[in-house]
Amino acid sequence: MTSVEAWMTKNPVTIDQSASIIEAIHLMKEKGIRRLPVMAKGRFTGLITERMIKDYTPGKATSLDTWEVHYLLSKTAVKDVMNPKPITVTPDVDLATAAQIILDHKLYGLCVVDGQGALVGIMSVGDMLRAVVAFMKTSK
């Protein structure tokens, strides 16, 4: 019960690397998530997060109007903004190690991959908190 596999979100929502940033934004809002593993032909190729998109999007000080920003984001592929080498863990990693990685790298989650690098889940800070709550309830 202390491994990442027991607490991770299995079968996470993903996006194809050729999808646009606008598609990623809409998918995140629709599903209520902040990160999307990026896939190409069924292979895990990176990660895009809400924060990466915000950092990429022109700020309010830009001379672009709303429509121009929307157009720019609709023509920009996820692969141009994603992190192509996100920090990952395997399902057998213990929760303490995964939590330490999240703390050390100031992350909000980790992609979980098998020995061949195939995506099998996501371990978010929310998943970690679910584990802490469950552990505390059983230790009383």
Side-chain angles (χ1 to χ4, degrees):
M1 285 297 288
T2 63
S3 71
V4 165
E5 185 172 26
W7 297 98
M8 70 182 185
T9 300
K10 294 176 173 97
N11 302 312
V13 176
T14 63
I15 193 161
D16 191 87
Q17 69 177 8
S18 63
S20 72
I21 298 300
I22 288 293
E23 290 174 275
I25 291 168
H26 288 293
L27 186 57
M28 286 181 192
K29 285 187 189 245
E30 176 189 320
K31 301 295 184 179
I33 55 178
R34 291 185 216 113
R35 66 193 54 76
L36 285 168
V38 180
M39 308 297 280
K41 297 178 183 168
R43 239 182 90 248
F44 175 59
T45 60
L47 178 72
I48 189 161
T49 66
E50 201 173 59
R51 179 168 287 184
M52 288 173 200
I53 293 170
K54 282 180 183 171
D55 289 346
Y56 180 80
T57 304
K60 293 185 190 287
T62 184
S63 62
L64 298 174
D65 70 23
T66 303
W67 296 109
E68 290 170 320
V69 171
H70 190 278
Y71 178 79
L72 174 72
L73 297 177
S74 72
K75 296 300 180 188
T76 304
V78 165
K79 68 181 175 195
D80 297 331
V81 180
M82 73 177 191
N83 175 355
K85 295 186 188 277
I87 297 170
T88 61
V89 294
T90 55
D92 60 332
V93 168
D94 64 89
L95 287 178
T97 300
Q100 191 65 57
I101 292 168
I102 287 172
L103 286 171
D104 291 347
H105 296 279
K106 298 179 181 166
L107 303 172
Y108 295 100
L110 296 164
C111 291
V112 184
V113 296
D114 66 16
Q116 289 75 44
L119 181 72
V120 295
I122 287 205
M123 186 71 195
S124 69
V125 171
D127 294 328
M128 294 262 180
L129 290 173
R130 281 189 309 110
V132 168
V133 168
F135 291 147
M136 294 308 294
K137 284 182 177 178
T138 58
S139 68
K140 288 183 177 183

